[in-house]
Amino acid sequence: MTHALLVSGHPDLDASYANATIVRSLADALPDVTVHRLDLARGAGHRFDLAVEGALLDAADVVVLGSPFYWYSWSGLMQEWVEQVWDHGWACNSLGGLALDGKPFILSLTAGGDEPSYSPGGYEPHPVADYLAPVTRTLEFVGAKLLGTVVAYDLPYRAPELNTDKRTSYDDALAAHVERLAALIEGTTIGAAA
């Protein structure tokens, strides 16, 4: 069985409908998922405990980095976690990967706009993947293996009212997102116990 670590980078998961639904639904769908909420994990001085964070990453067969798509990237909280935890000498050295070398990762993002909005004809002139170049380069540098990026589109900040067609579409998009994540996780055998 593959053990997945779902790192939630939403800065206030309790106030989120979309990201909280993804976290809860993925944990319900797969028996071996550890949910790690970065919004609750920081200690004094907004610092992460490097020993705890490293142990969580070490124990995982696959890591899912979940975040809203903010300002053309993952959340600031996710960036803060990477900058503190993926420390030089542990996660990488001047030559590249160490502790995360070969570790499978999946990016799980929620975006407010619909998919056509992120295209040359849309109000955002590039696909989401283009905006993620610094994120994917970071993963490459530490030697991580990016299994895929799953984006749930057309999820505005506030969920639509219940019992409306828009809410049904919203919830369907979240369910499809979780199914795609689960399929990627279940297809992972790297590091899983034989």
Side-chain angles (χ1 to χ4, degrees):
M1 182 177 304
T2 301
H3 173 66
L5 172 64
L6 171 56
V7 180
S8 170
H10 194 288
D12 186 3
L13 192 62
D14 291 333
S16 168
Y17 180 79
N19 284 271
T21 298
I22 290 167
V23 167
R24 184 180 56 255
S25 298
L26 189 62
D28 289 346
L30 297 177
D32 199 9
V33 174
T34 297
V35 174
H36 184 50
R37 291 181 55 173
L38 298 183
D39 62 329
L40 302 178
R42 290 182 294 187
H46 287 266
R47 303 296 299 174
F48 294 99
D49 183 325
L50 299 183
V52 169
E53 303 299 323
L56 286 167
L57 288 163
D58 287 341
D61 296 314
V62 61
V63 179
V64 179
L65 301 175
S67 172
F69 185 63
Y70 283 160
W71 291 104
Y72 310 104
S73 189
W74 52 25
S75 69
L77 179 59
M78 186 71 76
Q79 184 64 34
E80 180 182 0
W81 178 74
V82 166
E83 290 175 6
Q84 286 184 35
V85 175
W86 296 14
D87 194 20
H88 185 80
W90 179 78
C92 64
N93 61 31
S94 58
L95 302 176
L98 288 173
L100 301 177
D101 198 26
K103 177 82 67 178
F105 278 76
I106 300 166
L107 295 177
S108 169
L109 301 169
T110 55
D114 61 8
E115 192 168 5
S117 299
Y118 297 95
S119 67
Y123 64 84
E124 300 296 348
H126 302 281
V128 168
D130 287 0
Y131 295 113
L132 293 175
V135 169
T136 56
R137 179 61 193 127
T138 299
L139 291 167
E140 290 169 355
F141 184 73
V142 298
K145 179 181 178 186
L146 181 59
L147 298 180
T149 300
V150 181
V151 182
Y153 292 96
D154 202 16
L155 300 176
Y157 180 71
R158 301 216 186 285
E161 294 296 320
L162 286 171
N163 302 319
T164 64
D165 289 342
K166 185 66 177 168
R167 179 60 175 263
T168 300
S169 174
Y170 195 93
D171 289 339
D172 289 348
L174 292 173
H177 185 87
V178 170
E179 286 177 16
R180 289 192 303 273
L181 288 174
L184 281 170
I185 292 167
E186 289 175 329
T188 302
T189 56
I190 299 169

